[in-house]
């Protein structure tokens, strides 16, 4: 038999393109249109429909970037024959680009309720009413610009801000018709699409491939090109036999879960996400009316909360679908957060706020952690998730690794404290699947657990910019339920998948430690103001809750609502395209404004609470909400200010400056660089011989792709040491020794103050940069005289060790890493801690030293200047604070991190106030003190073991209580694991390494009101 398969395939493709697609709609007729252009930001439905609508015609150009056009749609419901259905069809000017990255719209009934969205590849709207009834609908069309442009390049664009987007009209309104859908032709098209897709995935020598090819050829022969509709049923019958052949018993099993990953902000502002959510959720509810078996999983309580506020009618329909189990809250977090940079308490609050919302609104608690797209996963997350009551985790992003392939698809993920969570990494390698044959075959081919298990999950539906599943995807799932040559596909839910996967694979392998994404390393540094706002807000809210709790114990009302609102802002802005700095400029400008509001709110709460707790008076006091005493004060209490007995000194020499106090001697040369940093107790210099610390280094930063996201390894080949000095001077101060250095770098001005305070054990460096570089990376380097094969970085509720060498491909790929408040490098008997107040990106590497041995070079990534998606990213002024402490242990590093981020407050009051809490061990750190979430006035104390070993401690409260219990993060009582005894106001604890413990003190009453 001659092989003419290539010709047959070409015939199939042309038949589908030229015959089937045009025949899907038997008839179309135009609607009548009127339009009103919103003069600025979007307005609610009621305001829009009250405007004057002018006549509007198909073919009209419309859509300045980010604008909104309301279109009034009228007509008459037609009569249709059996086997056909009338629906509306719109084309807003759609391109071939992905849905969610271009124009999209929402169709409303005249009463303001949403019918469905209008989007590329899902542009129909069901037509309601009987034949002859009037059509009276409103279309809200959003002219969102396609900033992605298919991600073919990453050119700077001014369209990421309303003010710079320009007045060009981006779209042409191409269609607004009543279409008569021929159901048989549509079903035939779905048959052909699935079979042809499967054919292309089968081997050329496969009998099944040949069988499908010839069946499709016969199908074309059975179709009259002049009467596709009249012969479509016969054509379907030809395909019946090949469609009926079942999958093999050993076929891979796919659980298909309807999904729409909706970025809470990214290449669009938050306000547009609110509309994207409404469009997507209305699409889903409409689809479920057509097919009740479709389940849809949606994460992010924030997105549900937006619907409750902005679309209450849609929200009530969602509530009914949730009660039916068809609309599934997933993830249990407030948003799909970044997990690298949020602090421990903030990451815990993602679950507390998210699960609380789902439980209060729907009586549903998601048991999965749903984070398909976050940029790597902290080693602290398993414990936090388990402490929140979660059982399972799903992620997809690790398939983006540049260098190494994750060895598992289903596994137990073990965190730093030993907690494990059952985790799945879908082998389909996308969270936006369309259930194409290519995707289904890829999932089966790549599944790593073959022979031990055979089940995976595929999230299907248009995502990132929303859209969700459409009817074509559901049709594919139906046909792939059991089809020879394919994996099987079952419409499912996250819980059904995880229960099946656990039962099938009771002893999966273990992955221990962080899941480091070998990609998007620049997200630890991009948009420094957003990152600083996050860090400052997290610590301000800690203080606000602590002092508000102290005030509440004295009878003041606890500011629940204000704190809830502030936390919700912070949690929203930890979304994985906001905090990482990978959004358009609009998003980051708004984030900075909202952080300022959070800080103002927190400061007001702190001031009011401290005024009550300290009382009125003229005593000079220091209030410290941190876990370690500062400035001679009292941890978690208020003390009388104790001025230092001896000032730090500064001496000028021909070579530079010498700063001294009782603990340190610091030498600074005339270039403002630290040539020695000596702990006087040991006499050992932390700076390597012949090297200089506080060295600013400027790198070329031109990633291959994904500008704001990536720092590529090749940046290290291009470096300039910034050593030129415009001025260097001593800054007069009554007690501290301070040197100020000013540098000019092109259009950038850098001012550094190096300060040694009395009795300080660390050198503080404040760097203010008026930054005007482009595509550059600024790092701050310290070459340390320490020989070590690992660096220790703080993460949430603990720390991780990472190699400083590049022995393996995994080590080499980890060339930029995250640290929270501190980094530590050490050898037996000596270490150095570097703390920061707003920096996350770091790199630590080894370098050879003259005379043998190695030097450890620790660097902080201060600033970047990517051009996409925000061409103005990071331009302007920034301030960073860093401290360097020689002769430091891990315990010292923990202290330094809190000192720099939770400085004590000077104030006036009546006198000292005893600590609200005290802990006998430095290893046990109190991270949060707050009122209970249920507003019962119980006091919640969250603490953790910070040094990485077993710790026994006595927690003593300044208040009495009826009982104390251990709880999960949602403050539900759990079995005791840390509490050993309770005696009066003393609670004896024993914690394992990095253990996170939440204590609930019931019916607290203040017993000690002052010093």
């Amino acid at each position: 038999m001659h092989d003419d398969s290539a010709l047959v395939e070409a015939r199939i493709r042309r038949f589908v393109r030229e015959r089937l697609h045009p025949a899907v709609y038997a008839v179309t007729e135009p609607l009548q249109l009127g339009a009103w252009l919103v003069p600025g930001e979007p307005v609610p439905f009621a305001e829009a429909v009250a405007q004057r609508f002018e006549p509007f015609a198909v073919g009209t150009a419309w859509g300045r970037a980010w604008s909104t056009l309301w279109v009034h749609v009228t007509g008459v419901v037609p009569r249709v024959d059996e086997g056909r259905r009338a629906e509306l069809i719109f084309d807003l000017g759609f391109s071939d680009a992905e849905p969610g990255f271009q124009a999209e719209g929402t169709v409303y009934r005249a009463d303001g309720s949403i019918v469905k969205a209008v989007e590329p590849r899902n542009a129909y709207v069901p037509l309601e009413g009987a034949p002859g009834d009037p059509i009276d609908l409103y279309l809200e069309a959003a002219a969102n610009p396609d900033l992605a442009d298919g991600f073919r390049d990453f050119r700077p664009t001014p369209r990421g801000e309303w003010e710079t987007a320009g007045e060009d009209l981006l779209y042409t309104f191409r269609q607004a018709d009543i279409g008569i859908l021929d159901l048989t032709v549509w079903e035939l098209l779905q048959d052909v699409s699935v079979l042809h897709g499967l054919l292309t995935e089968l081997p050329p020598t496969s009998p099944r491939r040949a069988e499908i090819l010839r069946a499709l050829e016969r199908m074309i022969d059975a179709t009259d090109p002049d009467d596709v509709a009249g012969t479509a049923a016969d054509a379907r019958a030809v395909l019946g036999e090949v469609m009926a052949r079942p999958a093999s018993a050993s076929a891979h099993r796919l659980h298909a879960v309807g999904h729409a990953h909706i970025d809470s902000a990214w290449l669009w502002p938050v306000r547009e996400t609110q509309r994207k959510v409404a469009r997507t959720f209305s699409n889903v509810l409409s689809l479920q009316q057509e097919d009740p078996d479709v389940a849809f999983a949606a994460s992010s309580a924030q997105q549900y909360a937006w619907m409750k506020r902005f679309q209450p009618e849609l929200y009530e329909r969602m509530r009914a679908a949730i009660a039916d189990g068809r609309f599934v809250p997933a993830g249990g977090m407030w948003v799909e957060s970044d997990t690298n940079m949020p602090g421990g308490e903030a990451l815990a609050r993602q679950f507390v706020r998210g699960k609380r919302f789902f439980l209060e609104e729907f009586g549903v608690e998601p048991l999965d952690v749903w984070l398909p797209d976050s940029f790597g996963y902290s080693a602290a997350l398993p414990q936090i998730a388990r402490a929140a009551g979660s059982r399972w985790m799903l992620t997809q992003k690790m398939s983006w690794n540049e260098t190494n392939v994750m060895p598992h698809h289903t596994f137990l993920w073990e965190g730093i404290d030993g907690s494990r969570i059952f985790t799945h990494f879908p082998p389909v390698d996308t969270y936006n699947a369309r259930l194409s044959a290519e995707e289904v075959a890829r999932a089966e081919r790549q599944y790593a657990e073959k022979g031990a298990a055979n089940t995976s999950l595929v999230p299907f539906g248009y995502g990132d910019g929303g859209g969700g599943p459409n009817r074509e995807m559901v049709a594919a799932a139906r046909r792939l339920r059991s089809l020879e040559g394919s994996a099987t596909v079952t419409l499912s839910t996250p819980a059904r998948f995880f229960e099946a996967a656990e039962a099938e694979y009771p002893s999966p392998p273990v992955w221990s430690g962080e899941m480091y994404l070998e990609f998007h390393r620049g997200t630890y540094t991009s948009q420094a103001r957003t990152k600083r706002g996050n860090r400052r807000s997290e610590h301000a809210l800690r203080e606000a809750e602590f002092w508000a709790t102290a005030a509440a114990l004295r009878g003041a009302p606890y500011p629940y609502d204000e704190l809830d609102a502030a936390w919700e802002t912070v949690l929203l802005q930890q979304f994985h395209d906001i905090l990482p700095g990978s959004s358009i400029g609009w998003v980051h400008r708004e984030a900075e404004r909202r952080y300022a509001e959070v800080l103002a709110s927190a400061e007001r709460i702190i001031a009011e609470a401290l005024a009550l707790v300290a009382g009125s008076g003229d005593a000079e006091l220091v209030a410290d909400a941190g876990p370690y005493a500062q400035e001679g004060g009292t941890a978690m209490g208020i003390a009388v200010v104790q001025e230092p007995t001896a000032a730090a000194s500064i001496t000028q020499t021909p070579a530079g400056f010498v700063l001294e106090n009782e603990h340190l001697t610091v030498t600074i040369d005339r270039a403002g660089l630290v040539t020695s940093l000596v702990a006087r107790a040991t006499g050992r210099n932390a700076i390597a011989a012949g090297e200089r610390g506080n060295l600013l280094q400027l790198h070329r930063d031109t990633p291959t792709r994904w500008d704001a996201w990536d720092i590529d390894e090749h940046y290290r080949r291009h470096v300039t040491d910034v050593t030129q000095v415009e001025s260097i001077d001593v800054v007069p101060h009554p007690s501290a020794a301070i040197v100020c250095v000013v540098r000019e770098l092109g259009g950038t001005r850098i001012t550094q103050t190096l300060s040694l305070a009395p009795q300080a054990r660390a050198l503080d460096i404040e760097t203010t940069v008026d930054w005007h570089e482009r595509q550059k990376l600024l790092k701050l380097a310290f070459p340390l005289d320490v020989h070590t094969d690992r660096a220790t970085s703080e993460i949430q509720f603990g720390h991780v060790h990472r190699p400083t060498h590049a022995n393996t491909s995994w080590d080499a790929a980890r060339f930029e890493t995250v640290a929270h408040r501190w980094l530590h490098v050490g050898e037996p008997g000596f270490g150095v801690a570097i703390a920061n107040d707003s920096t996350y990106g770091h790199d630590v590497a080894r370098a050879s030293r003259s005379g043998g041995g190695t030097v450890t070079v620790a660097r902080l990534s201060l600033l970047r200047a990517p051009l996409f998606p925000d061409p103005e990213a990071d331009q302007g002024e920034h301030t960073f604070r860093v401290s360097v402490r020689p002769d430091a242990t891990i315990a010292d590093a923990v202290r330094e991190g809190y000192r720099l981020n939770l400085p004590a407050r000077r104030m006036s009051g009546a006198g000292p106030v005893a600590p609200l809490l005290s802990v006998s061990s430095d290893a046990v750190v109190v991270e949060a003190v707050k009122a209970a979430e249920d507003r019962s006035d119980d006091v919640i104390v969250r603490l953790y073991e910070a040094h990485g070993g077993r710790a026994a401690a006595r927690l003593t409260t300044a208040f009495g209580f009826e009982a104390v219990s251990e709880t999960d993060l949602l403050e539900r009582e759990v079995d005791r694991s840390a509490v050993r005894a309770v005696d009066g106001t003393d609670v004896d604890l024993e914690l394992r390494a990095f253990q996170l413990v939440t204590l609930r003190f019931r019916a607290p009453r203040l017993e000690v009101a002052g010093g």
Side-chain angles (χ1 to χ4, degrees), residues 303-323:
Q303 296 181 1
Y304 292 74
W306 282 332
M307 294 305 94
K308 182 179 181 181
R309 177 181 176 187
F310 297 115
Q311 298 290 349
E313 186 275 337
L314 180 66
Y315 185 72
E316 289 307 312
R317 285 191 277 150
M318 290 164 53
R319 186 192 300 278
I322 291 168

Side-chain angles (χ1 to χ4, degrees), residues 231-248:
T231 53
D234 293 337
R236 290 201 74 201
V238 169
L239 299 177
E241 185 176 352
V242 292
M243 290 291 295
R245 294 195 188 280
S248 69

